[in-house]
Amino acid sequence: MSGKRVAAITKRLLQQFRRDRRTLALLFVAPIVILGLLGYLIRGSASAPAVGIANEDQGPLGATVAAALAHSSGISTTTIQSSDGDAKLKDGSLAAYIVFPPDFSSQAQAGTIAPDVHLEGSQPGTIAPVLQALQEALISAVSSQAPGQGLHVQPRISYLYGGPGFDTLDYFGAAFIGLVVFFLVFVVTIVSFLNERSQGTLERLMASPLRRGEIVLGYMLGFTVLALIQAVEVLVFALAVLKVHNSGNVALIFGIEALMAIAAVNLGIFLSMFARTEFQAVQFIPLVIVPQFLLSGILFSVSSEPKPLQLLSGVLPLTYAVNGLRDVMVRGADLSWGSLQLDVGVVAGFIVVLVIAAATTLRRRIA
Amino acid sequence: MSDSWAVDVEDVSKNFGDVKALDGVTLRVRQGEIYGLLGPNGSGKTTLIRMFVGLVAPNAGTVTVLGQRMPNVAMLSHVGYMTQAAALYPGLSVEENVRFFAAINGTEGGVKAALEFVKLYDRRASVVSTLSGGMRQRLSLACALVHKPQLLLLDEPTVGVDPQLRVELWDGFKEMADAGTTIIVSSHVMDEAERCQRLGLILFGKLLTEGTPGEIRSRAGRPTLEEAFLSLSQSRA
Ligand SMILES: Nc1ncnc2c1ncn2[C@@H]1O[C@H](COP(=O)(O)OP(=O)(O)OP(=O)(O)O)[C@@H](O)[C@H]1O
Ligand SMILES: [Mg+2]
């Protein structure tokens, strides 16, 4: 094993990608498009949620806040009776209604106001805009009426359905971060390795002193560099732009993402041995990637699968990676958790198996 | 004994299914020799050359290259192999390609010399996908000899190269051979065959005859190598 020869392969790969704009676009634009679309699908409700306002305040503040809410672009308001509210939530004509109680203005004088917020709750995408609009309306109304006063806002929030839990993107986002990286890295690796074969350069590599392990390692490092940059990009986009909920350690999320990327590189090299053309390589996507995706617990939790499928899920690496990412981001797991140790261990073990498999399947002889 | 042989092939056979690509070939090439492999399409020239670098395993017989029984990965850094179809990285520049093949053979120098040899130094920054066919062929040659191998295997190296440059390349091959490099070259071009020290004529996977160009002409009783080649091929066909 010569470090210089491994480095030669890694460097050459990165040089190639510098000029291959389209593949770079796939690696770095596609994840943003996919995640952005997903975020939009899940969170971006087409129209502003309908919010009913019941102003029972005997003082002036309720009316001021209601007027501010009416001007808010994030929601569309109507005036209702508080007794009609629940019925309107049930029939779907309202996503939420807000009640300003009779003593609302005097609450403000005392320093703590508590508007009642009733949320429908089953459509996660409508909750945030309502709370945000209320927050903004309260700030602007209070600062115009009683400037400089410290005021506590403690809205009493109730849900018709569901609870104050995470929204859909918070739940799916964690898994999708890893999945996007895994999928794109796999596709790019398998195709470039096949190019090596079809353009005849693999024959030249095989007629050189390069050892098979050096080729696999060189490839792995080259693609890992790209994959890690992509992983950082995806993570920053998910956390900073999509604001996917995260209760765990960012470095840990990145670590799991990186492991998934390395696994994808080696799976790509390994499977490229079984394809003769790029077209055949693409056929591995429905064959290898889609079933893993379905069985990984992203959409249907593994425990709800039929028993035979559960066994299958249990041997697929993506299942563990997805579970690990969710543990960290949703449940705030750290490496002291046994379940996370298992997840990380299985993915790492899979990488080792794939590296060995890729190096042994790479045949020096063409016949 | 075998030290003076750069390549020593003993009674080698290779079948691809029903096709007998090589059939009992025995052939020895001296160090510093330019040895030409002649033969019609499909006669087994490429298969034989691939065997020298361990890409094809013989069904029978032994292949010894630079004193080492093949396959032997470590000694491949002393061998340069130019494949029949130019095998290059189309997305890399001319210079990046040569540098890469130097690096995997464990050297860094020689890039400029190799590019000057094939007259591509001025085009070193060009991306390969923008080169002409003949230029690619020349670049492929540069990649095969950049690490100054002791044994240079050239599978039809001058296909598509213009006559002027072809003469200059052969002058270069002669210089390298004089300096001790062994060159085995397959070709269909008879004036190139004329410049080899010895020729091997391969037909249907068998080594039909072997000798200097002069010996082959007189053996066939023909004035030109072309006619000698045709009459020898026909007498066995
Ligand atoms: N990998 C392979 N699988 C099956 N058959 C092969 C393979 N490689 C070569 N052959 C067969 O072996 C025979 C010799 O082929 P080879 O490539 O050595 O010919 P060649 O002398 O180099 O011909 P050309 O002048 O066209 O380059 C041909 O019949 C070819 O079809
Ligand atoms: Mg050939």
Side-chain angles (χ1 to χ4, degrees):
Chain A
M1 190 66 72
S2 143
K4 276 196 176 165
R5 291 194 298 245
V6 172
I9 297 213
T10 303
K11 184 174 158 211
R12 191 211 79 217
L13 271 174
L14 295 177
Q15 281 174 336
Q16 269 175 296
F17 280 107
R18 220 182 48 213
R19 296 209 184 83
D20 189 351
R21 299 266 160 75
R22 202 202 294 216
T23 305
L24 283 182
L26 177 73
L27 276 174
F28 296 110
V29 179
I32 302 300
V33 172
I34 295 173
L35 286 176
L37 187 66
L38 191 73
Y40 183 60
L41 272 175
I42 294 178
R43 273 191 187 159
S45 39
S47 53
V51 178
I53 310 284
N55 182 17
E56 297 167 353
D57 186 12
Q58 282 152 2
L61 185 61
T64 317
V65 178
L69 280 172
H71 285 106
S72 163
S73 60
I75 57 173
S76 72
T77 58
T78 47
T79 306
I80 60 158
Q81 299 295 314
S82 65
S83 52
D84 297 342
D86 281 339
K88 286 184 186 289
L89 288 186
K90 281 198 178 109
D91 70 20
S93 58
L94 287 180
Y97 70 96
I98 300 171
V99 181
F100 301 121
D103 58 346
F104 193 55
S105 291
S106 37
Q107 282 179 0
Q109 239 99 60
T112 303
I113 52 173
D116 285 314
V117 182
H118 302 263
L119 294 162
E120 192 263 356
S122 76
Q123 294 162 288
T126 61
I127 296 172
V130 172
L131 294 180
Q132 198 184 342
L134 177 62
Q135 184 82 23
E136 285 164 6
L138 283 170
I139 288 170
S140 78
V142 169
S143 64
S144 70
Q145 291 227 327
Q149 276 194 6
L151 191 64
H152 294 286
V153 181
Q154 287 175 335
R156 288 197 299 260
I157 301 174
S158 64
Y159 292 85
L160 183 60
Y161 308 112
F166 306 102
D167 78 4
T168 324
L169 189 61
D170 290 327
Y171 192 64
F172 286 116
F176 268 104
I177 290 174
L179 194 77
V180 165
V181 171
F182 186 85
F183 178 68
L184 293 174
V185 168
F186 169 78
V187 169
V188 173
T189 314
I190 193 169
V191 169
S192 21
F193 213 82
L194 262 165
N195 270 342
E196 189 95 56
R197 199 177 287 270
S198 55
Q199 76 204 2
T201 44
L202 190 63
E203 181 172 353
R204 275 203 136 147
L205 298 189
M206 291 306 190
S208 80
L210 276 174
R211 284 161 202 284
R212 293 180 296 187
E214 290 171 346
I215 297 178
V216 172
L217 206 62
Y219 255 80
M220 192 175 113
L221 290 179
F223 280 113
T224 303
V225 169
L226 291 176
L228 291 188
I229 301 173
Q230 191 202 46
V232 170
E233 182 206 25
V234 166
L235 194 55
V236 168
F237 183 75
L239 294 181
V241 180
L242 293 182
K243 300 207 188 321
V244 171
H245 176 88
N246 173 34
S247 19
N249 182 335
V250 174
L252 201 54
I253 306 172
F254 177 73
I256 299 176
E257 257 189 297
L259 280 182
M260 289 177 82
I262 296 173
V265 167
N266 288 292
L267 186 65
I269 296 178
F270 175 64
L271 287 180
S272 76
M273 313 292 165
F274 303 99
R276 297 212 159 271
T277 62
E278 289 170 34
F279 184 58
Q280 288 181 351
V282 172
Q283 294 162 2
F284 279 122
I285 293 170
L287 222 67
V288 175
I289 299 296
V290 174
Q292 274 208 72
F293 168 76
L294 290 178
L295 293 174
S296 67
I298 287 186
L299 300 179
F300 316 101
S301 77
V302 173
S303 55
S304 71
E305 287 172 359
K307 267 277 174 293
L309 287 185
Q310 281 193 26
L311 292 178
L312 199 53
S313 290
V315 297
L316 296 175
L318 210 53
T319 312
Y320 295 89
V322 163
N323 198 37
L325 278 174
R326 270 197 185 143
D327 267 359
V328 173
M329 294 184 70
V330 178
R331 303 189 187 94
D334 56 47
L335 276 177
S336 66
W337 289 35
S339 62
L340 192 61
Q341 289 168 3
L342 175 73
D343 291 334
V344 172
V346 169
V347 178
F350 204 78
I351 291 175
V352 174
V353 171
L354 278 176
V355 171
I356 295 170
T360 24
T361 357
L362 185 55
R363 299 237 60 88
R364 183 164 287 277
R365 307 247 164 96
I366 49 178
Chain B
M1 33 142 253
S2 70
D3 276 346
S4 58
W5 300 119
V7 170
D8 184 352
V9 174
E10 299 285 345
D11 197 21
V12 152
S13 296
K14 176 69 192 178
N15 304 324
F16 292 111
D18 298 341
V19 179
K20 278 193 166 180
L22 291 175
D23 187 4
V25 173
T26 296
L27 175 153
R28 296 187 187 88
V29 180
R30 252 177 256 114
Q31 277 183 20
E33 193 173 29
I34 302 183
Y35 190 100
L37 289 173
L38 299 184
N41 291 149
S43 55
K45 304 180 295 294
T46 299
T47 305
L48 188 58
I49 292 177
R50 279 183 173 149
M51 227 171 237
F52 299 157
V53 286
L55 283 172
V56 171
N59 296 122
T62 63
V63 179
T64 310
V65 174
L66 301 173
Q68 304 289 323
R69 265 291 289 276
M70 295 306 287
N72 180 322
V73 176
M75 56 78 56
L76 287 173
S77 62
H78 303 296
V79 180
Y81 171 40
M82 178 180 172
T83 48
Q84 185 166 359
L88 302 161
Y89 294 99
L92 295 191
S93 75
V94 166
E95 184 169 357
E96 285 164 352
N97 265 283
V98 181
R99 270 192 200 292
F100 172 69
F101 283 105
I104 61 172
N105 283 291
T107 63
E108 276 157 31
V111 174
K112 187 170 183 222
L115 284 175
E116 279 172 344
F117 181 72
V118 298
K119 303 269 183 306
L120 279 177
Y121 190 67
D122 293 341
R123 296 293 303 262
R124 63 187 178 280
S126 303
V127 177
V128 168
S129 55
T130 67
L131 293 184
S132 78
M135 288 177 184
R136 278 180 219 195
Q137 193 73 4
R138 280 146 58 192
L139 177 56
S140 185
L141 176 60
C143 291
L145 50 75
V146 61
H147 57 294
K148 303 193 180 65
Q150 293 172 33
L151 172 65
L152 193 53
L153 305 170
L154 307 173
D155 202 351
E156 303 191 28
T158 57
V159 173
V161 175
D162 62 71
Q164 161 86 34
L165 196 57
R166 182 178 291 184
V167 170
E168 290 176 37
L169 288 180
W170 271 90
D171 289 344
F173 294 157
K174 180 80 176 48
E175 247 170 64
M176 287 159 73
D178 288 344
T181 307
T182 310
I183 300 176
I184 299 178
V185 52
S186 78
S187 181
H188 295 292
V189 183
M190 288 307 145
D191 59 320
E192 289 187 358
E194 203 71 66
R195 297 195 65 168
C196 296
Q197 276 147 26
R198 277 197 306 147
L199 295 172
L201 184 55
I202 299 184
L203 204 66
F204 298 117
K206 287 195 168 72
L207 185 66
L208 190 67
T209 183
E210 211 185 17
T212 65
E215 283 168 3
I216 289 184
R217 273 196 307 270
S218 59
R219 205 168 296 160
R222 300 292 162 117
T224 69
L225 206 49
E226 178 119 36
E227 288 169 290
F229 174 77
L230 289 175
S231 89
L232 285 172
S233 314
Q234 260 143 32
S235 64
R236 297 298 173 96

